[in-house]
Amino acid sequence: MSGRFFSRVSRTLLKINSSVKRTGLTGTSRLYWTTIRRIADSLNNGRAALLLGLPVLSALSYEACCRFHVSALVCALEKDEILEQADYLYSCAEAEKLYELLVKYKDSDEAEFLWRLARASRELSLLPDTDPQRKTQLTFEAFEFAKKALERDNENFAVHKWYAICLSDIGDCQGVKAKIGNSFLIREHLEKAIQLNPKDATSMHILGYWCFAFAELPWYQRKVAAVIFATPPTSTFEEALEFFLKAEEVDPNFYSKNLLMLGKTYMAMKDGQNALLWLTKAKEYPAHTLEDKQVLKEAEELLKKLG
């Protein structure tokens, strides 16, 4: 019985291998062998646990129990594999492949899938060839995924981070009044994300950007804020700088936009020497993505102004 059982496990491993190869992703060999090792380790541990814990079961009952145990194990590992592939595609800026991988799980109730779906929808909306109608659709779709993720898991830092990001994007679609109206809620979720994960540099960067935006808010938008709130949101360049520097301390050189924002913040504070330092770093940052290229262009323009 046990021989046939482990033979089926071997076939399961081969199926996973075939599935991974069909994705055609660069680097999936590493992901596949990681999964194989995990399954092997877990099977060994699980087999020992079942042998020790169920000594009076008949061979038939034992095999049925093993089948259930391995089925649950393989499902869990397949989920981990999908999430790992999603993170890999995101790191490679493969927005279309990322969306195609995850959209089949749009009805999932698991927060780990849902916040990644929000991220994938947003990334697809930001592609330069996405038409305006599709962009708006994807923006609202991303927010719905993020909202659903928040309902499922209120203690996940990534859920709070992407909820804040997607809520800000909704404001971009709906106008200044909506964006300012959501501002306190956006900050609240970013602060929660940092509280849950003090090592997440991205949340710190976004909160720094929030502070920078309100520090340089034009007078007419300040009037809008004053109408919406008795005490409208405010911030300073010093507060923005604190978050940008903290992000850099947590994860040095992690994001070209953080380098650029450090330079811009120092410029706003009339500190030309530090502005030159960080804008030069932004200019020299390897431009792998479209955003990196935009940062490079802006850094060059600002450096010309500094003389």
Side-chain angles (χ1 to χ4, degrees):
M1 287 289 184
S2 61
R4 288 200 300 273
F5 161 66
F6 283 105
S7 176
R8 281 195 297 275
V9 170
S10 296
R11 288 198 296 273
T12 301
L13 299 183
L14 290 174
K15 286 179 182 178
I16 293 175
N17 183 25
S18 299
S19 175
V20 169
K21 287 180 178 178
R22 280 197 301 273
T23 62
L25 302 179
T26 304
T28 49
S29 175
R30 174 182 60 81
L31 299 177
Y32 164 65
W33 286 112
T34 299
T35 302
I36 295 300
R37 286 195 294 272
R38 288 177 183 166
I39 292 178
D41 292 344
S42 300
L43 284 174
N44 289 335
N45 295 335
R47 184 186 181 198
L50 287 165
L51 286 169
L52 291 171
L54 304 170
V56 297
L57 288 180
S58 67
L60 183 61
S61 298
Y62 167 68
E63 183 179 14
C65 190
C66 283
R67 188 182 303 117
F68 174 80
H69 175 78
V70 173
S71 176
L73 172 66
V74 170
C75 285
L77 290 172
E78 285 178 345
K79 171 192 166 184
D80 288 345
E81 176 83 359
I82 293 162
L83 296 180
E84 192 171 355
Q85 286 184 31
D87 292 341
Y88 176 78
L89 286 171
Y90 177 71
S91 71
C92 296
E94 293 281 2
E96 292 177 346
K97 289 182 180 179
L98 174 63
Y99 187 82
E100 288 171 8
L101 174 70
L102 291 176
V103 72
K104 62 178 72 74
Y105 303 100
K106 64 182 180 180
D107 296 322
S108 173
D109 285 331
E110 295 193 46
E112 291 295 334
F113 278 112
L114 291 167
W115 74 255
R116 284 177 172 85
L117 270 163
R119 181 176 70 178
S121 297
R122 181 179 189 269
E123 287 299 300
L124 196 58
S125 77
L126 295 176
L127 293 179
D129 57 350
T130 303
D131 69 78
Q133 185 176 355
R134 176 65 170 153
K135 177 182 176 69
T136 300
Q137 176 194 340
L138 287 165
T139 298
F140 280 88
E141 177 182 279
F143 178 67
E144 288 303 315
F145 284 134
K147 184 165 68 172
K148 190 176 176 183
L150 188 64
E151 291 168 359
R152 298 297 184 273
D153 188 355
N154 193 41
E155 295 300 315
N156 185 318
F157 86 93
V159 168
H160 285 278
K161 174 170 68 176
W162 287 99
Y163 182 87
I165 292 170
C166 294
L167 182 58
S168 178
D169 290 342
I170 292 292
D172 290 336
C173 292
Q174 295 179 334
V176 173
K177 187 174 180 179
K179 194 168 185 70
I180 293 176
N182 292 330
S183 57
F184 279 120
L185 188 57
I186 291 169
R187 176 159 189 160
E188 177 185 320
H189 283 283
L190 290 172
E191 288 175 340
K192 181 66 174 178
I194 294 170
Q195 176 189 338
L196 290 169
N197 184 4
K199 297 297 184 182
D200 183 45
T202 307
S203 294
M204 295 173 190
H205 165 81
I206 300 169
L207 189 48
Y209 198 93
W210 186 100
C211 295
F212 185 93
F214 279 101
E216 69 163 6
L217 199 67
W219 66 268
Y220 62 90
Q221 291 187 14
R222 291 187 189 277
K223 285 195 171 184
V224 173
V227 170
I228 299 173
F229 300 107
T231 306
T234 59
S235 189
T236 63
F237 292 119
E238 286 76 13
E239 187 179 22
L241 180 66
E242 181 181 343
F243 285 114
F244 291 139
L245 287 173
K246 182 64 176 176
E248 207 62 32
E249 178 185 335
V250 167
D251 192 359
N253 216 40
F254 75 104
Y255 186 28
S256 62
K257 190 73 172 283
N258 199 64
L259 304 175
L260 176 69
M261 292 308 299
L262 277 163
K264 291 177 72 171
T265 305
Y266 277 119
M267 279 187 74
M269 296 169 62
K270 312 299 182 185
D271 186 341
Q273 184 175 354
N274 276 311
L276 178 64
L277 170 67
W278 291 102
L279 289 173
T280 301
K281 287 186 177 184
K283 177 186 174 183
E284 294 174 350
Y285 191 93
H288 297 303
T289 67
L290 176 62
E291 186 178 37
D292 291 335
K293 293 173 184 177
Q294 293 169 342
V295 164
L296 170 61
K297 183 179 178 181
E298 187 173 356
E300 288 176 339
E301 291 171 354
L302 291 172
L303 283 168
K304 289 177 183 176
K305 290 182 180 180
L306 282 176

